[in-house]
Amino acid sequence: MNQGIDVVGVYVRDQDEAVAFYVDKLGFRIHTDVKNGEYRWLTVQHPEQPTFQLGLFKPGPPVHDEGTAQSLRAIVAKGAMPPLVLVVKDCRAAYDRLRGKGVEFMQEPIDRFGTVDAGFRDPSGNGWKMIQARG
Amino acid sequence: MVEAADSQDPELLRRLLRAKDRMDAASHEEWPVRRLARVSGVSAAHFARSFKEAFGVPPHRYLLTRRIERATALLRETEMSITEIAFHTGWGSLGTFGRTFRDITGENPGALRTRGRAAGRDLGRVPNCIVSAAHRPHLTTAVSEKRRRSVAGTKGLRKLKESK
């Protein structure tokens, strides 16, 4: 077996909306989607990265009290969560494709530092840098 | 009445973030409150108040930090002249650019260029687009207020010397 990171999660405001974004727009696949009462464990996977899952978790009970959940929702909506980086083969082509699907770009592709990068947000406010793989 | 920051409606915060993103994407453009308020879909008065509450600084002050950040990057990474950089980053005059730059960073654009090059880079493994955010200048006080304070400080020093 290989040791390493298996799941890293982001907070989203609505898990159905997050599936519509990460699966229908970005092209990720659902890995696990299990409900237990109010709790829903939802992870997606990049089609070319079968050893890593991105969790799409909603702040709230039973994990968080209402005050904490409200704080988390506010932090996400303000774009204050840590940076996320997606590597793509062709940044401009991916930009055109995703923009055509209605992805909200905060930065158009820019040629710099020997590669091309763009930036987009998920509906909740999580910010992604989309960087073209070097070479 | 000032609400705690995290009691703001997340839906509103998300729309305020959109206006902030727009300033980030085009900080060289003019961003009057009315234009930003339209992006967020709220009234101008509501926008200015809500933005400051959400992000800790008024929208115009935020815009200035972004312009200085871009100018700083151009000073470090390009051969553009200081005049070109001033106009490229949204200032109407070289004088205003130089003054605001000094107020925010504490040094002249030319001095920063020299120092930035001497220092070199030790952030090679960090994505560069993220490094630029790390170089973002802090701006917790109004530029005009900062200037008033430094003038007051100089005067205070003079008085002290005179009294000796």
Side-chain angles (χ1 to χ4, degrees):
Chain A
M1 64 161 283
N2 296 314
Q3 302 186 95
I5 298 173
D6 191 34
V7 180
V8 172
V10 295
Y11 285 124
V12 297
R13 63 185 181 185
D14 181 299
Q15 287 171 304
D16 291 333
E17 180 186 58
V19 167
F21 180 80
Y22 284 96
V23 175
D24 301 343
K25 291 190 166 134
L26 291 196
F28 288 30
R29 294 173 188 155
I30 288 178
H31 180 279
T32 308
D33 188 357
V34 181
K35 272 184 209 163
N36 185 1
E38 283 186 274
Y39 189 72
R40 181 177 177 191
W41 175 268
L42 170 66
T43 69
V44 294
Q45 227 170 23
H46 189 282
E48 295 175 27
Q49 201 170 24
T51 60
F52 182 85
Q53 297 168 59
L54 179 70
L56 305 172
F57 304 124
K58 188 178 153 82
V63 181
H64 309 105
D65 62 277
E66 189 41 47
T68 304
Q70 164 67 18
S71 299
L72 292 170
R73 284 193 287 269
I75 290 166
V76 173
K78 283 200 266 191
M81 293 302 273
L84 300 158
V85 178
L86 186 68
V87 176
V88 294
K89 277 200 190 82
D90 182 337
C91 186
R92 284 177 203 285
Y95 170 80
D96 289 339
R97 189 167 44 79
L98 296 178
R99 194 148 184 268
K101 291 187 173 187
V103 172
E104 178 184 345
F105 275 85
M106 49 184 169
Q107 181 213 303
E108 292 175 12
I110 297 177
D111 270 290
R112 54 180 172 184
F113 317 120
T115 180
V116 187
D117 69 86
F120 64 85
R121 288 198 189 280
D122 75 6
S124 304
N126 293 298
W128 285 86
K129 276 286 172 193
M130 184 166 76
I131 305 179
Q132 187 162 311
R134 287 164 196 270
Chain B
M1 193 186 84
V2 179
E3 291 175 275
D6 64 8
S7 70
Q8 286 180 283
D9 173 18
E11 298 294 325
L12 169 67
L13 291 170
R14 183 66 183 83
R15 297 203 307 272
L16 295 172
L17 176 62
R18 199 159 288 141
K20 184 166 170 273
D21 283 343
R22 293 284 296 277
M23 283 194 273
D24 288 346
S27 62
H28 59 286
E29 292 181 11
E30 295 301 320
W31 288 101
V33 168
R34 252 177 305 124
R35 185 181 177 197
L36 294 165
R38 254 198 317 275
V39 172
S40 294
V42 296
S43 74
H46 190 200
F47 178 84
R49 196 172 57 243
S50 308
F51 187 96
K52 180 165 192 291
E53 201 178 306
F55 301 112
V57 287
H60 183 251
R61 212 184 298 172
Y62 178 75
L63 180 66
L64 293 185
T65 64
R66 294 314 312 269
R67 286 184 177 178
I68 294 299
E69 176 190 330
R70 280 202 66 213
T72 303
L74 292 172
L75 286 165
R76 284 206 176 99
E77 293 156 14
T78 73
E79 298 300 323
M80 284 168 79
S81 74
I82 290 170
T83 309
E84 281 174 312
I85 290 172
F87 291 108
H88 195 76
T89 52
W91 268 274
S93 86
L94 190 56
T96 314
F97 168 62
R99 198 159 54 243
T100 312
F101 195 96
R102 274 192 300 281
D103 282 339
I104 290 178
T105 69
E107 62 188 331
N108 289 313
L112 184 132
R113 171 165 269 178
T114 313
R115 194 173 53 77
R117 293 210 169 135
R121 290 223 183 77
D122 52 3
L123 292 164
R125 302 202 55 135
V126 184
N128 283 290
C129 42
I130 289 164
V131 172
S132 68
H135 287 307
R136 188 171 300 177
H138 294 289
L139 189 55
T140 49
T141 51
V143 170
S144 53
E145 186 188 341
K146 210 168 173 180
R147 194 176 309 142
R148 268 200 308 280
R149 278 190 200 168
S150 72
V151 169
T154 317
K155 277 183 190 157
L157 201 65
R158 207 175 296 140
K159 270 183 200 157
L160 197 68
K161 278 182 185 162
E162 281 164 5
S163 69
K164 273 186 182 170

